[in-house]
Amino acid sequence: MSSFTDSLDASNAAYVEAFSANGVPGRAGTHLLLLTCMDSRIVPHAIFGLKEGDMKVVRNAGGQMNSEVERDIVLASHILDCHNIVIMPHTKCAMASLSLPEVRIRLNERSGMDFSSFEPRMIGDWEETLRADVARLKANKLLNEGAVVRGARYDVDTGMVHWVC
Ligand SMILES: [Zn+2]
């Protein structure tokens, strides 16, 4: 019986065949770190024309700041040469289009399980959330002094990045 890893192995074999990034340093070549959503329509390196070694990417549901992500970014701002930080949510994000009660109902309907105390961080107003996340990171006293933090929104229908703050 074949598993999903069989087709991944076949694709990876082709990637390995063409692989040329041996020896690329672990630091971010463009000093760029991107926090974005786990949405499958977002292909981070392709969006900015980047390749292996160019950019650090942190992803979660919604591309949202939280204390864990914030620690990773602070670390990267010092140790991994990430001086340019972009927080980039996107259009048509499920995290911003459903309310918490709606998500709980949907999860319950799909699984039959009780999600009444499940607490995913939904996004009410995406722009307000983005501006607050950028401000929160900028205010972090441990962030590398020279780091620049920007907020943008990715349009999944056009591929365009719109700078917000
Ligand atoms: Zn999303």
Side-chain angles (χ1 to χ4, degrees), residues 37 39 62 90 93-95:
C37 184
D39 192 291
H90 64 99
C93 184
M95 298 302 288

Side-chain angles (χ1 to χ4, degrees), residues 10-82:
S11 303
N12 180 239
Y15 182 72
V16 168
E17 189 68 35
F19 192 74
S20 62
N22 182 27
V24 169
R27 295 178 169 210
T30 59
H31 307 297
L32 196 59
L33 181 146
L34 176 70
L35 166 61
T36 193
C37 184
M38 62 186 185
D39 192 291
S40 49
R41 292 166 291 189
I42 301 171
V43 185
H45 281 66
I47 290 170
F48 296 113
L50 301 175
K51 58 186 188 317
E52 294 95 337
D54 284 346
M55 175 173 67
K56 303 292 176 193
V57 182
V58 180
R59 305 185 74 157
N60 61 27
Q64 302 181 78
M65 188 60 62
N66 60 45
S67 47
E68 217 168 301
V69 163
E70 195 169 2
R71 277 196 299 270
D72 290 348
I73 294 176
V74 165
L75 186 80
S77 78
H78 290 282
I79 292 178
L80 301 172
D81 280 353
C82 295

Side-chain angles (χ1 to χ4, degrees), residues 69-149:
V69 163
E70 195 169 2
R71 277 196 299 270
D72 290 348
I73 294 176
V74 165
L75 186 80
S77 78
H78 290 282
I79 292 178
L80 301 172
D81 280 353
C82 295
H83 307 312
N84 301 320
I85 297 155
V86 178
I87 303 175
M88 190 179 77
H90 64 99
T91 59
K92 297 185 174 174
C93 184
M95 298 302 288
S97 56
L98 296 170
S99 68
L100 183 54
E102 285 170 338
V103 167
R104 285 174 174 159
I105 288 167
R106 204 175 272 202
L107 289 167
N108 171 261
E109 282 172 355
R110 291 205 179 182
S111 68
M113 297 191 292
D114 178 14
F115 279 88
S116 57
S117 57
F118 187 63
E119 294 280 351
R121 190 179 149 216
M122 305 309 293
I123 300 169
D125 181 317
W126 71 266
E127 187 172 347
E128 198 178 293
T129 299
L130 175 58
R131 288 182 187 278
D133 284 352
V134 167
R136 171 178 167 169
L137 190 57
K138 280 181 173 174
N140 189 315
K141 290 182 170 45
L142 293 177
L143 189 71
N144 191 321
E145 240 180 290
V148 177
V149 186

